[in-house]
Amino acid sequence: MEIVVCVKQVPDTTEVKIDPVTNTLIRQGVPSIVNPFDKNAVEAALVLKEKHGGKVTVISMGPPQAKDALKECLAMGADAAILVSDRAFGGADTLATSYTLAAAIKKLGTVDVILCGKQAIDGDTAQVGPEIAEHLGIPQVTYAAKVEVDGSVARVEREHEEGYEVIEVGLPVMLTVVKSANEPRYPTVKGTMRANRAEIPVWTLADLEVDETKLGLKGSPTQVRKIFTPKQRTQGVLIQKDTAREAVAELIAKLSEAKIV
């Protein structure tokens, strides 16, 4: 079974900074991590490989430092990794990103299952995975909590607000994986040593069969015009009384004035 996992290196959410001029994320000097949901996708891929055999390839589109994220996935147990990186890909929105990743997946040849995390924690759009499926013309199942494969059919438990849907779909298929699907394994010492020695190939614009007008900023129909932090508002009323009885009485009086009770 040929399995591909798309992963993204994202800024640590505690260190997110925005350039006020370009309205883009400041990545220099900011700690980066593997998108947490993508680790769930990697774990799901490794479980499928353990059950059915085959190969797990992780792909990321990003700057050269994204190799660190790919090496972490290799340390978890992935078999191969590819970085898709070129200045021409910079500034891409989800549509341009998914177009580029889909081109890279096509270059790999036959793929049975493509896995993504349900969303990235920096953009929170949950669009790239489904858009990859559209570019490739294959079925998709989002919010997968459990995946089983029997021959050429995948049986997926899809999580939603009211419970689960059980969906059967033919391969190849693209799945986005939720956090509740599994607990990502920790890299082993042996795996980490292997990952540190690995030479990760970098695919540039010259390596992909693409329409350059669909790449990067010029291929992105959505653009961020402005980002700002809303002013903090103080809400509520502080009630200070000598006893709890007096405080409760004051609270009830204020709720009555506001016509809440």
Side-chain angles (χ1 to χ4, degrees):
M1 179 180 295
E2 295 295 325
I3 306 168
V4 171
V5 186
C6 297
V7 302
K8 185 179 184 182
Q9 187 182 56
V10 297
D12 190 326
T13 52
T14 61
E15 299 288 342
V16 170
K17 298 175 184 177
I18 303 295
D19 186 320
V21 177
T22 63
N23 293 318
T24 58
L25 291 173
I26 298 174
R27 297 186 181 272
Q28 288 187 336
V30 178
S32 296
I33 59 174
V34 178
N35 181 50
F37 293 113
D38 295 346
K39 285 189 175 182
N40 295 109
V42 172
E43 177 64 27
L46 295 175
V47 171
L48 285 174
K49 187 186 81 166
E50 289 165 355
K51 289 182 178 178
H52 304 284
K55 179 181 179 182
V56 173
T57 301
V58 288
I59 295 181
S60 183
M61 187 184 98
Q65 59 263 34
K67 284 185 178 182
D68 293 337
L70 291 171
K71 287 192 174 185
E72 186 172 346
C73 297
L74 289 174
M76 289 176 65
D79 300 291
I82 297 166
L83 176 62
V84 181
S85 185
D86 196 295
R87 295 288 295 179
F89 306 149
D93 68 356
T94 60
L95 187 63
T97 298
S98 61
Y99 175 74
T100 307
L101 287 170
I105 293 170
K106 284 181 183 178
K107 182 178 173 67
L108 285 173
T110 302
V111 174
D112 299 299
V113 179
I114 302 168
L115 296 164
C116 301
K118 74 162 187 173
Q119 64 194 67
I121 62 172
D122 56 355
D124 282 330
T125 64
Q127 294 173 351
V128 170
E131 287 175 349
I132 288 173
E134 288 297 313
H135 288 305
L136 296 175
I138 62 175
Q140 58 177 284
V141 181
T142 55
Y143 304 106
K146 185 177 180 181
V147 183
E148 296 176 349
V149 174
D150 183 7
S152 61
V153 175
R155 187 173 185 271
V156 185
E157 287 189 11
R158 183 177 186 271
E159 183 181 83
H160 59 84
E161 293 178 354
E162 297 179 358
Y164 294 89
E165 296 174 332
V166 178
I167 299 173
E168 287 191 350
V169 60
L171 303 182
V173 64
M174 193 289 306
L175 309 173
T176 67
V177 182
V178 296
K179 184 176 179 63
S180 61
N182 53 50
E183 186 68 32
R185 67 192 67 187
Y186 289 102
T188 63
V189 173
K190 183 178 180 181
T192 301
M193 293 175 64
R194 180 178 70 90
N196 289 336
R197 293 193 302 267
E199 291 293 331
I200 297 177
V202 179
W203 289 356
T204 65
L205 174 61
D207 298 302
L208 304 179
E209 294 185 9
V210 291
D211 178 350
E212 293 188 36
T213 64
K214 297 181 179 180
L215 302 174
L217 190 60
K218 63 184 177 183
S220 301
T222 56
Q223 297 181 17
V224 178
R225 300 253 177 199
K226 183 178 180 181
I227 291 179
F228 65 94
T229 302
K231 293 181 179 179
Q232 291 187 344
R233 298 187 212 174
T234 56
Q235 295 183 349
V237 177
L238 179 63
I239 298 175
Q240 292 181 317
K241 295 293 181 180
D242 294 333
T243 67
R245 185 179 293 276
E246 291 175 345
V248 170
E250 178 72 12
L251 175 60
I252 292 174
K254 290 189 178 295
L255 291 174
S256 298
E257 288 175 13
K259 301 182 187 281
I260 296 175
V261 297

CSV table of all heavy atoms in Angstrom, one decimal, residues 125-166:
chain,number,residue,atom,x,y,z
A,125,THR,N,-8.1,26.6,8.4
A,125,THR,CA,-9.1,26.6,7.4
A,125,THR,C,-9.7,25.2,7.1
A,125,THR,O,-10.8,25.1,6.6
A,125,THR,CB,-8.5,27.1,6.1
A,125,THR,OG1,-7.5,26.3,5.6
A,125,THR,CG2,-7.9,28.5,6.3
A,126,ALA,N,-8.9,24.2,7.3
A,126,ALA,CA,-9.3,22.8,7.0
A,126,ALA,C,-9.7,22.6,5.5
A,126,ALA,O,-10.5,21.8,5.1
A,126,ALA,CB,-10.5,22.4,7.8
A,127,GLN,N,-9.0,23.4,4.6
A,127,GLN,CA,-9.3,23.4,3.2
A,127,GLN,C,-8.3,22.6,2.3
A,127,GLN,O,-8.7,22.1,1.3
A,127,GLN,CB,-9.4,24.8,2.7
A,127,GLN,CG,-10.5,25.6,3.3
A,127,GLN,CD,-10.5,27.1,2.9
A,127,GLN,OE1,-9.5,27.5,2.3
A,127,GLN,NE2,-11.5,27.8,3.2
A,128,VAL,N,-7.0,22.5,2.8
A,128,VAL,CA,-6.0,22.0,1.9
A,128,VAL,C,-6.2,20.5,1.5
A,128,VAL,O,-6.1,20.1,0.4
A,128,VAL,CB,-4.6,22.2,2.5
A,128,VAL,CG1,-3.5,21.4,1.7
A,128,VAL,CG2,-4.2,23.7,2.6
A,129,GLY,N,-6.6,19.7,2.5
A,129,GLY,CA,-6.8,18.3,2.2
A,129,GLY,C,-7.9,18.1,1.2
A,129,GLY,O,-7.7,17.4,0.2
A,130,PRO,N,-9.1,18.6,1.4
A,130,PRO,CA,-10.2,18.4,0.5
A,130,PRO,C,-9.8,19.0,-0.9
A,130,PRO,O,-10.2,18.4,-1.9
A,130,PRO,CB,-11.4,19.2,1.1
A,130,PRO,CG,-11.1,19.1,2.6
A,130,PRO,CD,-9.6,19.2,2.7
A,131,GLU,N,-9.1,20.1,-0.9
A,131,GLU,CA,-8.7,20.7,-2.2
A,131,GLU,C,-7.7,19.8,-3.0
A,131,GLU,O,-7.8,19.7,-4.2
A,131,GLU,CB,-8.2,22.1,-2.0
A,131,GLU,CG,-9.2,23.1,-1.7
A,131,GLU,CD,-8.7,24.5,-1.3
A,131,GLU,OE1,-7.4,24.6,-1.2
A,131,GLU,OE2,-9.5,25.4,-1.2
A,132,ILE,N,-6.8,19.2,-2.2
A,132,ILE,CA,-5.9,18.2,-2.9
A,132,ILE,C,-6.7,17.1,-3.6
A,132,ILE,O,-6.5,16.7,-4.7
A,132,ILE,CB,-5.0,17.6,-1.9
A,132,ILE,CG1,-3.9,18.6,-1.4
A,132,ILE,CG2,-4.3,16.3,-2.5
A,132,ILE,CD1,-3.1,18.1,-0.3
A,133,ALA,N,-7.8,16.6,-2.9
A,133,ALA,CA,-8.6,15.6,-3.5
A,133,ALA,C,-9.3,16.1,-4.8
A,133,ALA,O,-9.4,15.3,-5.8
A,133,ALA,CB,-9.7,15.1,-2.5
A,134,GLU,N,-9.7,17.3,-4.8
A,134,GLU,CA,-10.4,17.9,-6.0
A,134,GLU,C,-9.4,18.0,-7.1
A,134,GLU,O,-9.7,17.7,-8.3
A,134,GLU,CB,-11.0,19.3,-5.6
A,134,GLU,CG,-12.2,19.2,-4.7
A,134,GLU,CD,-13.4,18.5,-5.4
A,134,GLU,OE1,-13.6,18.8,-6.6
A,134,GLU,OE2,-14.0,17.6,-4.8
A,135,HIS,N,-8.2,18.5,-6.8
A,135,HIS,CA,-7.2,18.6,-7.9
A,135,HIS,C,-6.8,17.2,-8.5
A,135,HIS,O,-6.6,17.1,-9.7
A,135,HIS,CB,-5.9,19.2,-7.3
A,135,HIS,CG,-6.0,20.7,-7.0
A,135,HIS,ND1,-6.4,21.6,-7.9
A,135,HIS,CD2,-5.8,21.4,-5.8
A,135,HIS,CE1,-6.4,22.8,-7.4
A,135,HIS,NE2,-6.0,22.7,-6.1
A,136,LEU,N,-6.8,16.2,-7.6
A,136,LEU,CA,-6.5,14.8,-8.1
A,136,LEU,C,-7.7,14.1,-8.7
A,136,LEU,O,-7.5,13.0,-9.3
A,136,LEU,CB,-5.8,14.0,-7.0
A,136,LEU,CG,-4.5,14.6,-6.4
A,136,LEU,CD1,-4.1,13.7,-5.2
A,136,LEU,CD2,-3.4,14.5,-7.5
A,137,GLY,N,-8.9,14.6,-8.4
A,137,GLY,CA,-10.1,13.9,-8.9
A,137,GLY,C,-10.4,12.6,-8.2
A,137,GLY,O,-10.8,11.6,-8.8
A,138,ILE,N,-10.1,12.6,-6.9
A,138,ILE,CA,-10.4,11.4,-6.1
A,138,ILE,C,-11.3,11.7,-5.0
A,138,ILE,O,-11.5,12.8,-4.6
A,138,ILE,CB,-9.1,10.8,-5.5
A,138,ILE,CG1,-8.4,11.8,-4.5
A,138,ILE,CG2,-8.1,10.4,-6.6
A,138,ILE,CD1,-7.2,11.2,-3.8
A,139,PRO,N,-12.0,10.7,-4.4
A,139,PRO,CA,-12.9,10.9,-3.3
A,139,PRO,C,-12.2,11.4,-2.0
A,139,PRO,O,-11.0,11.1,-1.9
A,139,PRO,CB,-13.6,9.6,-3.1
A,139,PRO,CG,-12.7,8.6,-3.7
A,139,PRO,CD,-12.0,9.2,-4.8
A,140,GLN,N,-13.0,12.0,-1.1
A,140,GLN,CA,-12.4,12.5,0.1
A,140,GLN,C,-13.4,12.2,1.3
A,140,GLN,O,-14.6,12.1,1.1
A,140,GLN,CB,-12.2,14.0,0.1
A,140,GLN,CG,-13.4,14.8,-0.3
A,140,GLN,CD,-13.2,16.2,-0.3
A,140,GLN,OE1,-13.1,16.8,0.8
A,140,GLN,NE2,-13.2,16.8,-1.5
A,141,VAL,N,-12.8,11.9,2.4
A,141,VAL,CA,-13.6,11.8,3.7
A,141,VAL,C,-12.9,12.6,4.7
A,141,VAL,O,-11.7,12.4,5.0
A,141,VAL,CB,-13.8,10.4,4.2
A,141,VAL,CG1,-14.6,10.3,5.4
A,141,VAL,CG2,-14.4,9.5,3.1
A,142,THR,N,-13.6,13.6,5.2
A,142,THR,CA,-13.0,14.5,6.2
A,142,THR,C,-13.3,14.0,7.6
A,142,THR,O,-14.2,13.3,7.8
A,142,THR,CB,-13.5,16.0,6.0
A,142,THR,OG1,-14.9,16.0,6.1
A,142,THR,CG2,-13.0,16.5,4.7
A,143,TYR,N,-12.5,14.5,8.6
A,143,TYR,CA,-12.7,14.2,10.0
A,143,TYR,C,-12.8,12.7,10.3
A,143,TYR,O,-13.7,12.3,11.0
A,143,TYR,CB,-14.0,14.9,10.5
A,143,TYR,CG,-14.0,16.4,10.3
A,143,TYR,CD1,-14.8,17.0,9.3
A,143,TYR,CD2,-13.2,17.2,11.0
A,143,TYR,CE1,-14.7,18.4,9.1
A,143,TYR,CE2,-13.1,18.6,10.8
A,143,TYR,CZ,-13.9,19.2,9.8
A,143,TYR,OH,-13.9,20.5,9.6
A,144,ALA,N,-11.8,12.0,9.8
A,144,ALA,CA,-11.8,10.6,10.0
A,144,ALA,C,-11.2,10.3,11.4
A,144,ALA,O,-10.2,10.7,11.8
A,144,ALA,CB,-10.9,9.9,8.9
A,145,ALA,N,-12.0,9.5,12.1
A,145,ALA,CA,-11.6,9.1,13.5
A,145,ALA,C,-11.1,7.6,13.5
A,145,ALA,O,-10.4,7.2,14.4
A,145,ALA,CB,-12.8,9.2,14.5
A,146,LYS,N,-11.5,6.8,12.5
A,146,LYS,CA,-11.0,5.5,12.4
A,146,LYS,C,-11.0,5.1,11.0
A,146,LYS,O,-11.9,5.4,10.2
A,146,LYS,CB,-11.9,4.5,13.2
A,146,LYS,CG,-11.5,3.1,13.3
A,146,LYS,CD,-12.4,2.3,14.1
A,146,LYS,CE,-12.0,0.8,14.2
A,146,LYS,NZ,-12.9,0.0,15.0
A,147,VAL,N,-9.9,4.4,10.6
A,147,VAL,CA,-9.8,4.0,9.2
A,147,VAL,C,-9.4,2.5,9.1
A,147,VAL,O,-8.5,2.0,9.8
A,147,VAL,CB,-8.7,4.8,8.5
A,147,VAL,CG1,-8.6,4.4,7.0
A,147,VAL,CG2,-8.9,6.3,8.6
A,148,GLU,N,-10.1,1.7,8.3
A,148,GLU,CA,-9.8,0.3,8.0
A,148,GLU,C,-9.8,0.1,6.5
A,148,GLU,O,-10.7,0.7,5.8
A,148,GLU,CB,-10.8,-0.6,8.7
A,148,GLU,CG,-10.8,-0.5,10.2
A,148,GLU,CD,-11.9,-1.4,10.8
A,148,GLU,OE1,-12.8,-1.9,10.0
A,148,GLU,OE2,-11.9,-1.6,12.0
A,149,VAL,N,-8.9,-0.6,6.0
A,149,VAL,CA,-8.8,-0.9,4.6
A,149,VAL,C,-9.0,-2.4,4.3
A,149,VAL,O,-8.3,-3.2,5.0
A,149,VAL,CB,-7.5,-0.4,4.0
A,149,VAL,CG1,-7.3,-0.8,2.5
A,149,VAL,CG2,-7.4,1.1,4.1
A,150,ASP,N,-9.8,-2.7,3.4
A,150,ASP,CA,-10.1,-4.1,3.0
A,150,ASP,C,-10.0,-4.2,1.5
A,150,ASP,O,-10.9,-3.8,0.8
A,150,ASP,CB,-11.4,-4.6,3.5
A,150,ASP,CG,-11.6,-6.1,3.2
A,150,ASP,OD1,-10.7,-6.8,2.7
A,150,ASP,OD2,-12.8,-6.6,3.4
A,151,GLY,N,-8.8,-4.6,1.0
A,151,GLY,CA,-8.6,-4.7,-0.5
A,151,GLY,C,-8.6,-3.3,-1.1
A,151,GLY,O,-7.7,-2.5,-0.7
A,152,SER,N,-9.5,-3.0,-1.9
A,152,SER,CA,-9.6,-1.7,-2.6
A,152,SER,C,-10.6,-0.8,-2.0
A,152,SER,O,-11.0,0.2,-2.6
A,152,SER,CB,-9.9,-1.9,-4.1
A,152,SER,OG,-11.2,-2.5,-4.3
A,153,VAL,N,-11.1,-1.1,-0.8
A,153,VAL,CA,-12.1,-0.3,-0.1
A,153,VAL,C,-11.7,0.1,1.2
A,153,VAL,O,-11.1,-0.6,2.0
A,153,VAL,CB,-13.5,-1.1,0.0
A,153,VAL,CG1,-14.5,-0.3,0.8
A,153,VAL,CG2,-14.0,-1.5,-1.4
A,154,ALA,N,-11.9,1.4,1.6
A,154,ALA,CA,-11.6,1.9,2.9
A,154,ALA,C,-12.9,2.1,3.6
A,154,ALA,O,-13.9,2.6,3.1
A,154,ALA,CB,-10.9,3.3,2.8
A,155,ARG,N,-12.9,1.7,4.9
A,155,ARG,CA,-14.1,2.0,5.8
A,155,ARG,C,-13.7,3.0,6.8
A,155,ARG,O,-12.8,2.8,7.6
A,155,ARG,CB,-14.5,0.6,6.4
A,155,ARG,CG,-15.8,0.7,7.2
A,155,ARG,CD,-16.2,-0.7,7.6
A,155,ARG,NE,-17.5,-0.7,8.3
A,155,ARG,CZ,-17.7,-0.5,9.6
A,155,ARG,NH1,-16.7,-0.3,10.4
A,155,ARG,NH2,-18.9,-0.6,10.1
A,156,VAL,N,-14.4,4.1,6.8
A,156,VAL,CA,-14.0,5.3,7.6
A,156,VAL,C,-15.1,5.6,8.6
A,156,VAL,O,-16.3,5.8,8.2
A,156,VAL,CB,-13.7,6.5,6.7
A,156,VAL,CG1,-13.1,7.6,7.6
A,156,VAL,CG2,-12.7,6.1,5.7
A,157,GLU,N,-14.8,5.8,9.8
A,157,GLU,CA,-15.7,6.4,10.8
A,157,GLU,C,-15.5,7.9,10.8
A,157,GLU,O,-14.4,8.4,11.2
A,157,GLU,CB,-15.5,5.8,12.2
A,157,GLU,CG,-16.0,4.4,12.3
A,157,GLU,CD,-16.1,3.9,13.8
A,157,GLU,OE1,-15.9,4.7,14.7
A,157,GLU,OE2,-16.3,2.7,14.0
A,158,ARG,N,-16.4,8.7,10.4
A,158,ARG,CA,-16.3,10.1,10.3
A,158,ARG,C,-16.9,10.8,11.5
A,158,ARG,O,-18.1,10.6,11.7
A,158,ARG,CB,-16.9,10.6,9.0
A,158,ARG,CG,-16.8,12.1,8.7
A,158,ARG,CD,-17.4,12.5,7.4
A,158,ARG,NE,-17.2,13.9,7.1
A,158,ARG,CZ,-18.0,14.9,7.5
A,158,ARG,NH1,-19.1,14.6,8.1
A,158,ARG,NH2,-17.7,16.1,7.1
A,159,GLU,N,-16.1,11.6,12.2
A,159,GLU,CA,-16.6,12.2,13.4
A,159,GLU,C,-17.4,13.5,13.0
A,159,GLU,O,-16.9,14.3,12.2
A,159,GLU,CB,-15.4,12.5,14.3
A,159,GLU,CG,-15.8,13.2,15.6
A,159,GLU,CD,-14.5,13.5,16.4
A,159,GLU,OE1,-13.9,14.5,16.2
A,159,GLU,OE2,-14.1,12.6,17.3
A,160,HIS,N,-18.5,13.8,13.7
A,160,HIS,CA,-19.2,15.0,13.6
A,160,HIS,C,-19.8,15.4,14.9
A,160,HIS,O,-19.7,14.6,15.9
A,160,HIS,CB,-20.1,15.1,12.4
A,160,HIS,CG,-21.2,14.1,12.5
A,160,HIS,ND1,-22.4,14.3,13.2
A,160,HIS,CD2,-21.3,12.8,11.9
A,160,HIS,CE1,-23.2,13.2,13.0
A,160,HIS,NE2,-22.5,12.3,12.3
A,161,GLU,N,-20.5,16.5,15.0
A,161,GLU,CA,-21.0,17.0,16.2
A,161,GLU,C,-22.0,16.0,16.9
A,161,GLU,O,-22.1,16.0,18.1
A,161,GLU,CB,-21.7,18.4,16.0
A,161,GLU,CG,-20.7,19.5,15.7
A,161,GLU,CD,-21.4,20.8,15.4
A,161,GLU,OE1,-22.6,20.8,15.5
A,161,GLU,OE2,-20.6,21.8,15.2
A,162,GLU,N,-22.8,15.3,16.1
A,162,GLU,CA,-23.8,14.4,16.7
A,162,GLU,C,-23.4,13.0,16.8
A,162,GLU,O,-24.3,12.1,17.1
A,162,GLU,CB,-25.1,14.6,15.9
A,162,GLU,CG,-25.6,16.0,15.9
A,162,GLU,CD,-26.9,16.2,15.0
A,162,GLU,OE1,-27.3,15.2,14.4
A,162,GLU,OE2,-27.5,17.3,15.0
A,163,GLY,N,-22.2,12.6,16.5
A,163,GLY,CA,-21.8,11.2,16.6
A,163,GLY,C,-20.8,10.9,15.5
A,163,GLY,O,-19.9,11.6,15.2
A,164,TYR,N,-21.1,9.7,14.8
A,164,TYR,CA,-20.2,9.3,13.7
A,164,TYR,C,-21.0,8.8,12.5
A,164,TYR,O,-22.1,8.3,12.7
A,164,TYR,CB,-19.3,8.1,14.2
A,164,TYR,CG,-18.4,8.5,15.3
A,164,TYR,CD1,-18.8,8.4,16.7
A,164,TYR,CD2,-17.1,8.9,15.0
A,164,TYR,CE1,-17.9,8.8,17.7
A,164,TYR,CE2,-16.2,9.2,16.0
A,164,TYR,CZ,-16.6,9.2,17.4
A,164,TYR,OH,-15.7,9.5,18.3
A,165,GLU,N,-20.4,9.0,11.4
A,165,GLU,CA,-20.9,8.4,10.1
A,165,GLU,C,-19.9,7.3,9.7
A,165,GLU,O,-18.7,7.5,9.8
A,165,GLU,CB,-21.0,9.4,9.0
A,165,GLU,CG,-22.0,10.5,9.3
A,165,GLU,CD,-22.0,11.6,8.2
A,165,GLU,OE1,-20.9,11.8,7.6
A,165,GLU,OE2,-23.0,12.2,8.0
A,166,VAL,N,-20.4,6.2,9.2
A,166,VAL,CA,-19.6,5.1,8.7
A,166,VAL,C,-19.7,5.2,7.2
A,166,VAL,O,-20.8,5.0,6.6
A,166,VAL,CB,-20.0,3.7,9.2
A,166,VAL,CG1,-19.1,2.7,8.6
A,166,VAL,CG2,-19.9,3.7,10.8
